[in-house]
Amino acid sequence: MSVKAEFKAGVQASEVPRDKCGVFAVYGVQAAAVAIYNGLFALQHRGQESAGMVVSDGRELRFCKDMGLVSEVFTGDFAECLPGHSGIGHVRYSTTGSSSVVNVQPFLANCRDGMWAVAHNGNLVNAAQLRDRYQKNGAIFQTSTDSEILLHQLADPDFFDRKDRLRQVLAELRGSFAVVFVRPNCVYAARDPWGIKPLSLGKLGGGYVVSSETCAMLQNNAEFIRDVAPGELIRIDEKGVKSMRFAEVPRSGKYGQCVFEHIYFARPDSHLFGQSVYKVREDIGRVLALEHPVEADVVVPIPDSGVLAAMGFAQASGIHFEMGFIRNHYIGRTFIMPTQGVRSSSVDLKLAIVPEVVNGKRVVLVDDSIVRGTTIRKRVEILQGAGAREVHVRIACPPTRHPCYFGIDFPDTGELVAHGRTVEQVRKLIGADSCGYLSIKGLCSVLDDARHFCMGCFNGEYVCETQQATSRESLGKSCGGNIRYRCGGMG
Amino acid sequence: MSVKAEFKAGVQASEVPRDKCGVFAVYGVQAAAVAIYNGLFALQHRGQESAGMVVSDGRELRFCKDMGLVSEVFTGDFAECLPGHSGIGHVRYSTTGSSSVVNVQPFLANCRDGMWAVAHNGNLVNAAQLRDRYQKNGAIFQTSTDSEILLHQLADPDFFDRKDRLRQVLAELRGSFAVVFVRPNCVYAARDPWGIKPLSLGKLGGGYVVSSETCAMLQNNAEFIRDVAPGELIRIDEKGVKSMRFAEVPRSGKYGQCVFEHIYFARPDSHLFGQSVYKVREDIGRVLALEHPVEADVVVPIPDSGVLAAMGFAQASGIHFEMGFIRNHYIGRTFIMPTQGVRSSSVDLKLAIVPEVVNGKRVVLVDDSIVRGTTIRKRVEILQGAGAREVHVRIACPPTRHPCYFGIDFPDTGELVAHGRTVEQVRKLIGADSCGYLSIKGLCSVLDDARHFCMGCFNGEYVCETQQATSRESLGKSCGGNIRYRCGGMG
Amino acid sequence: MSVKAEFKAGVQASEVPRDKCGVFAVYGVQAAAVAIYNGLFALQHRGQESAGMVVSDGRELRFCKDMGLVSEVFTGDFAECLPGHSGIGHVRYSTTGSSSVVNVQPFLANCRDGMWAVAHNGNLVNAAQLRDRYQKNGAIFQTSTDSEILLHQLADPDFFDRKDRLRQVLAELRGSFAVVFVRPNCVYAARDPWGIKPLSLGKLGGGYVVSSETCAMLQNNAEFIRDVAPGELIRIDEKGVKSMRFAEVPRSGKYGQCVFEHIYFARPDSHLFGQSVYKVREDIGRVLALEHPVEADVVVPIPDSGVLAAMGFAQASGIHFEMGFIRNHYIGRTFIMPTQGVRSSSVDLKLAIVPEVVNGKRVVLVDDSIVRGTTIRKRVEILQGAGAREVHVRIACPPTRHPCYFGIDFPDTGELVAHGRTVEQVRKLIGADSCGYLSIKGLCSVLDDARHFCMGCFNGEYVCETQQATSRESLGKSCGGNIRYRCGGMG
Amino acid sequence: MSVKAEFKAGVQASEVPRDKCGVFAVYGVQAAAVAIYNGLFALQHRGQESAGMVVSDGRELRFCKDMGLVSEVFTGDFAECLPGHSGIGHVRYSTTGSSSVVNVQPFLANCRDGMWAVAHNGNLVNAAQLRDRYQKNGAIFQTSTDSEILLHQLADPDFFDRKDRLRQVLAELRGSFAVVFVRPNCVYAARDPWGIKPLSLGKLGGGYVVSSETCAMLQNNAEFIRDVAPGELIRIDEKGVKSMRFAEVPRSGKYGQCVFEHIYFARPDSHLFGQSVYKVREDIGRVLALEHPVEADVVVPIPDSGVLAAMGFAQASGIHFEMGFIRNHYIGRTFIMPTQGVRSSSVDLKLAIVPEVVNGKRVVLVDDSIVRGTTIRKRVEILQGAGAREVHVRIACPPTRHPCYFGIDFPDTGELVAHGRTVEQVRKLIGADSCGYLSIKGLCSVLDDARHFCMGCFNGEYVCETQQATSRESLGKSCGGNIRYRCGGMG
């Protein structure tokens, strides 16, 4: 309702894959609002569109949420407005499409048994079916998100009086979810049966913390205990942590942990699915160097996403590592390129080339992944324009050729540069002298228990049914058109 | 979610009775957003807390709403963002209590049959019962308003397939309501069976307009057709206006039109319940002069609310009319008195006294009504401080001694100065030399068909059952606490 | 530098004459910032474009100033940021032309002898000459205002060491000025030798107050002492008030007090040039009724400017006074008419007609003055459209046919409707049935010592030389172009 | 005048040395405003407090300036508001002290010969003397900056009629300055005789560009021509570039190029004083490794300032380079730590530690410099807390023990941790296992023509007289106190 124009300004058709949010919860901590602030601040990389938190003072829930960065949404005396010792928080990623303040999480509802609030990271593939069912029963929907469905399930009279109400609710869900709830007197956390999304449990003073990534625990000086297990529901209240199961281990015996968390999404200082993200990325770089050796003078990463793989590549290959691109830290979210036509296409405000580093050199250019290929092509051009004799592109993951049904916001498959193209065709298109992707096998070699990872975007094999997958459009269709400054369709 | 601090700044414990909102709708007009803007602008006096509109382009609904004045909420290119030829709008009044952006109307919902939006002026006395019923059926509530219930009723499967669905919905309601709905292809308007709230139908070019007051028609150069009848539901679509009834005439044969609309709420250029507001107020002043004659030198109104009655009083009494108080137009909504303690209590930033007009004079001070009595006492003091020899207070309505269940935001009965006090006791309390209220009989004498008016706040007699009346608290109890800057309990 | 877009939005080519600002000063009061706030708040009608104050804590000067209303510029903890017991303030009127934050007063400067700040109401007709002289001496100018010259004069080495430095400075000025200065240890106030602009001295607790109008004293509960005399310089410091003269009484023995202060600019609760503004306006109405009698049914004012004259007219003529136009209080400064073309020209968002009052009636329409005539013509049309049988325009001042050199922002003489037209021609042009202006003689009859008033805009006779009059253009010429949002030429 | 609170929020007592601004100018380019935007954007690292530009359309100068980042100050249609083909720009660094919007450059003035605007990077050590002289002559000062003096010199009648006016002006200056001027028809650029501040000339299409650093040329696709020489004044107009001298080569034959530009200030992709900043920093790291060898497991930089030196150190030492600290990109300028007391002192929102990288390791921690020592001590602690077995601090410059008179904003000498302490004492204080600074000799070994660099902050030897050095205080003393939200002393 009050999406300030500037919040939309920086949004561009993205060249990078984007995840759907981060969640955070605390129970029994000194000042929940501050702990959640710190946690969301550390999870900011998972979503920059909006941020929100709900805090319980033991009797009531209070919220603060808006479009914007954590540091923009929570300002002034917000912590005094949100007293209490437990609560949940959420950051949401930015997209051009159906961005609207009505979709800002956590969502709250008054049910018959009082207030509930929920925050969800993931994508429910059976959202449209569930939504249909509840609409037939008379439910009205306020948002175009799949996450709102959870509130209607909680209010469902069929579940309401059951002792295992929340487990029944969760068992109905298909797809990916790391979800946290807060009630006046307790906090819940649950992770989908396939373990697609990460979720971890930690200890903070005498209380507890649940977070999408462990970096948000470090930020709070909390101590990592363990991952929430796939199919596990945790309830935290004054008696402590109680673990329950709402789903069996998948029949295949295999989980579907999102490998892109390690490749791109997660912060390097997080420990995810049992491994250090930092180490996995460096190792990927090392394997990449072995799989695609090249004679060259410097290894140059695209900062920041390609830095660790490039360092691993450099170590394994013995080629000098150099920061040939410098990242500009002052872009800000509100940046608008003035009078675009005036600028040459080879200038890039976000990354600056260091000509001295690449001039006359054979350059290995390392990035984490390629989506549409337009950005990497431009970067190859810039290197060549700065005098690089050769540019050898090395990508720290296999070719991305298939859609993700579980929350990664890839463009349509047809727009993926690797879709329907050989690596040689990709190379030509991006103008590089050579191009090498990490192999799936190579990727597996750096992962513990690689069979528990979903690599659907590389190989088209998914861990749970996706035929009914709910697209953003199917939920949003009934809702409403272009949303602009302070004006919105309901979606 | 983004209630800016300044929107709250001007809100103070009020001395004036306050109504609950204005509604407006158009169908088949050139640029619905502009017509609604003009209409809401003319209805701004009915609510300054928030404003919103929903416009249909024939297929989709789009909204724009926020805390603030009409001129603050609808800015920039809002009209381009809201294309279409039909729609509804709402202004909401300001209160300290449970003000929150989630309560800003119109409300929208995705039902099984698509989008609905609703805007409501009034107070449903059976809101708590209806809310309970829907919560038991699994409904979740987003706001603490009674108005949200209408959306749940619309989605109710028991009503859904009935041909007279909307009439069924309305027939369940008890209390006051002037309500407008918009769907992609039509607009509805309905008025409660007791006719408590005003609602009129007009013609605008080839299309139609529905408005709480006729002043909003004038603003659009629209032509008044007639009032929406008590118990009438109107549907406007491409076939024109269709009138239906959802309730019989009350068994008593009497309606309960709110007399305070004439006394205070409505704009003087409106025609309400069949009479000119301007004329009623002047006539009230004349009757007041006859009922409470006094020897004096000048008649001075409290601007603007007492001006017309004072003019009538002056005419009937032959005493000079003078603008002894000057209203400051620059207060603005964001005004905060700096360092209050420094200022003398007899200074008033909103009204300035003109000493020349009252010095040495016997003054008749006319205002529309007295609520707590603190303001009028202060004004009497200021007059005396400026040299008035005598101050005779004349009030353009009977003593307000009973609660209103239908939407007027009086303070608790115990806080009403006239509650449990004789007029003489009130006089002493406010420090006046004499004090005269209009009698109920006198009030009736200026009204056409006076028996069709509710005078519950004067005589304690109400037109429909009120024993189950839903207070703000009963709906809000489950929701949440003090709401402050950018932070809200869910209410 | 940060002229927010919205501050410009409401500015339109004006139909009303506009003055140049209000000034205010205090010495020896408890919290100077609060007293100045109150004072400027009461002077807001003299200028809505910008506001500023400078406060001295005895050693240093601190300022706060910006574009906007008093209540918009001074917010938050501004009073804590501006500690001290003396200071000055300024409000500036709004214009489309060279509005820029660099022109916001008070102006400050570091001179050899420390800090000075100045606030000025008026127009210096020899500004261009003085500016030339100082530029030749090496002065650089930051603003396009005549007021900045005062600072350069103060720093002028020719004056610097003289005991009567400030008197020398003031003696050089030609034109109108009510000016206040603050230094760390004292406050000065001065009024031009012709007494064109009003300036009064008052007592506030143990300290003093100087103000353009006495209404700002009332607002502070201060007590009026006397007007600052034409040609008088006052110094207020710890020893009290010291009066000096910097100019003789004009050779003509006549002053040139601006009669438009009484007609339009000043607030009715002010006492100006020895008379009550309220009384003068009512008396004008009475004389107007005698000079231009008419048979009619109602007297209707243009609110608020015509209200008092209309009341006087009604009293003298015995014709009913009615508020046929209702002023909308919610226009706000940021108002922009959306999609103007859609609206009919006969609709007016600022004033609403009350058809019941005028329908079928012979109406006397009273306003304070006519400038271009376009607004009054539109109002006559609206009356006729609402059914008025006859419309008789009565204007509470003589025809405005000549320029003002002393600060009233009339349009170019050629655009004045009365310039080169007989009253009958004006009547035709505005479409009224009759039209009557107050005569100069009639105006004089209500003024004490009428010979001391300047009526140059009526009769072309001015109290001081104007042949060298400095237009806005001559100062602004070197400066710069269109100024828009956050962007300015230096003017 | 409108310093928004948030612009101040992020400002903290700094642990890093800070420079004074960047300047940029163009002549004869297509859209000067866009080119200046790009240039200032690339120079943003030199100053984040405020930004401004002045553009000439051949006849007039227009400006846009405010507190904030380049992307915050220049928004909306600023480029359309600033038409023209030449102009200058400025970014200013952020400080707690006398930050005020009145100090935002460029400064403009109306002189006798029309408009001048100036932007200055540097520190004039004889500012107080010059200021005194002009104040005695009647000049008034608007800012507390030394840069304003240039405008008064330009207006000085003693210089005014001289053909070499601008050279006369510049010849009077002592201290550091890279300065650009714009007039309606030309642009000037000049560099102090000691070459302390960098300034380069480039070619952009058919026009020219002048910039503090070459990275701003790259950003505009401009071509580097040469550095502006110490003591050189350049005039660019329609006839092209004209070079003049306003000062001889210093008698010592040595320049005093600021070595801290290479160590810290400049962007790595700039070419400065004839060398690549990137290369110099890597080379420094290599020399540092030779001067202070250590047996260790990983080299970890403080990002971003220590990255290149750490890479050089790793290469020369053969020790693994790892990004043990991760920089958070979402801090933003408005960040305020909520409820600080709640947070443990060992948590750092700006840099996150990667425990896996340092746990159990002997760590070499590389940073560019140490100022107060508090930050590095905290970082050492964090490393130790994360399990580092040993922490060896290596600093990429010699100990900073002396003040800078030429623009680096070091704290008072007494607060410099290396002042009066041996390296061993510093080591103890910061809690490291060893500590090694680069030697002056080592630093010289990586610089071309090292004798032309000023190393005054290391060795106390300065290239020009400093005994009369003007401190911020001496200029600011007369001006004003604490400046807070929207409120300013004049400084």
Side-chain angles (χ1 to χ4, degrees), chain B residues 37-38 219 221 267 269 271 278 282 304 311 321-323 329-330 335 343-344 347 352 356-357, chain C residues 37-38 48 219 221 267 269 271 278 282 304 311 321-323 329-330 335 343-344 347 352 356-357:
Chain B
Y37 182 101
N38 290 336
Q219 193 77 73
N221 274 347
R267 228 168 71 169
D269 54 334
H271 223 83
Y278 187 103
E282 261 193 351
D304 289 346
M311 280 165 52
F321 170 81
E322 299 281 4
M323 297 294 283
H329 296 299
Y330 304 105
F335 178 72
R343 299 173 43 78
S344 157
V347 175
E356 284 77 7
V357 166
Chain C
Y37 181 100
N38 290 335
Q48 294 102 49
Q219 193 77 73
N221 274 345
R267 229 168 71 168
D269 55 333
H271 223 84
Y278 187 103
E282 261 193 351
D304 291 347
M311 282 167 51
F321 170 81
E322 299 282 2
M323 297 294 281
H329 295 301
Y330 303 107
F335 177 73
R343 301 174 41 79
S344 157
V347 175
E356 284 76 9
V357 166

Side-chain angles (χ1 to χ4, degrees), chain C residues 5-202:
Chain C
E6 58 263 36
F7 293 150
K8 306 307 212 61
V11 178
Q12 289 134 339
S14 178
E15 181 58 7
V16 296
R18 279 189 294 202
D19 190 23
K20 282 231 161 99
C21 331
V23 299
F24 192 78
V26 291
Y27 183 90
V29 303
Q30 209 180 329
V34 174
I36 297 169
Y37 181 100
N38 290 335
L40 294 184
F41 190 82
L43 297 176
Q44 184 79 78
H45 60 289
R46 297 184 74 87
Q48 294 102 49
E49 184 189 65
S50 68
M53 69 170 76
V54 172
V55 174
S56 166
D57 66 356
R59 287 170 307 153
E60 289 181 19
L61 303 185
R62 290 181 184 81
F63 71 86
C64 180
K65 55 183 193 173
D66 207 347
M67 306 301 284
L69 293 177
V70 169
S71 60
E72 294 165 341
V73 170
F74 307 113
T75 57
D77 56 356
F78 85 92
E80 281 82 59
C81 299
L82 299 170
H85 305 296
S86 62
I88 61 175
H90 192 268
V91 288
R92 194 164 181 272
Y93 85 120
S94 182
T95 173
T96 29
S98 61
S99 168
S100 171
V101 77
V102 301
N103 288 338
V104 177
Q105 299 199 29
F107 295 134
L108 299 95
N110 269 314
C111 294
R112 183 149 52 118
D113 59 341
M115 298 278 290
W116 283 83
V118 64
H120 167 227
N121 172 31
N123 196 48
L124 305 179
V125 296
N126 63 335
Q129 293 87 328
L130 292 170
R131 192 177 170 107
D132 276 359
R133 182 172 89 201
Y134 284 103
Q135 282 194 328
K136 274 186 198 129
N137 285 342
I140 57 179
F141 280 78
Q142 301 293 329
T143 77
S144 62
T145 67
D146 53 357
S147 312
E148 188 186 359
I149 291 161
L150 283 155
L151 294 175
H152 290 281
Q153 290 178 290
L154 283 166
D156 187 337
D158 288 351
F159 295 144
F160 194 85
D161 295 320
R162 298 188 58 149
K163 257 201 96 173
D164 58 353
R165 172 187 181 194
L166 192 47
R167 273 176 284 164
Q168 292 289 333
V169 162
L170 296 166
E172 283 202 327
L173 304 177
R174 292 295 173 274
S176 64
F177 54 97
V179 64
V180 290
F181 302 86
V182 63
R183 304 226 47 204
N185 63 336
C186 68
V187 158
Y188 292 98
R191 189 166 162 222
D192 64 73
W194 304 272
I196 303 171
K197 294 292 170 191
L199 194 64
S200 302
L201 175 69

Side-chain angles (χ1 to χ4, degrees), chain B residues 285-308:
Chain B
R286 290 188 191 99
V287 174
L288 189 58
L290 300 178
E291 291 190 335
H292 299 286
V294 62
E295 227 168 275
D297 305 304
V298 285
V299 177
V300 164
I302 302 292
D304 289 346
S305 56
V307 170
L308 296 178

Side-chain angles (χ1 to χ4, degrees), chain B residues 302 324-325 343-355 358-359 363 365 374-388 391 430-431, chain C residues 218-219 221:
Chain B
I302 302 292
F325 285 102
R343 299 173 43 78
S344 157
S345 69
S346 65
V347 175
D348 189 326
L349 282 169
K350 197 170 154 201
L351 291 189
I353 183 82
V354 184
V358 299
N359 190 12
V363 177
L365 180 64
T374 45
T375 301
I376 192 85
R377 178 168 49 189
K378 195 170 151 197
R379 301 265 155 80
V380 170
E381 259 176 44
I382 291 173
L383 282 171
Q384 290 163 340
V391 180
I430 63 177
Chain C
L218 292 177
Q219 193 77 73
N221 274 345

Side-chain angles (χ1 to χ4, degrees), chain B residues 263-280:
Chain B
I263 292 169
Y264 177 77
F265 295 137
R267 228 168 71 169
D269 54 334
S270 285
H271 223 83
L272 223 72
F273 308 138
Q275 283 182 278
S276 156
V277 173
Y278 187 103
K279 292 288 185 194
V280 167

Side-chain angles (χ1 to χ4, degrees), chain A residues 85 110 141 166 205 264 295 320 361 372 430 443 467 471:
Chain A
H85 304 296
N110 269 314
F141 280 78
L166 192 47
Y264 177 79
E295 227 167 274
H320 270 315
K361 300 282 174 59
R372 283 190 183 81
I430 64 178
L443 175 55
Q467 66 283 18
S471 70

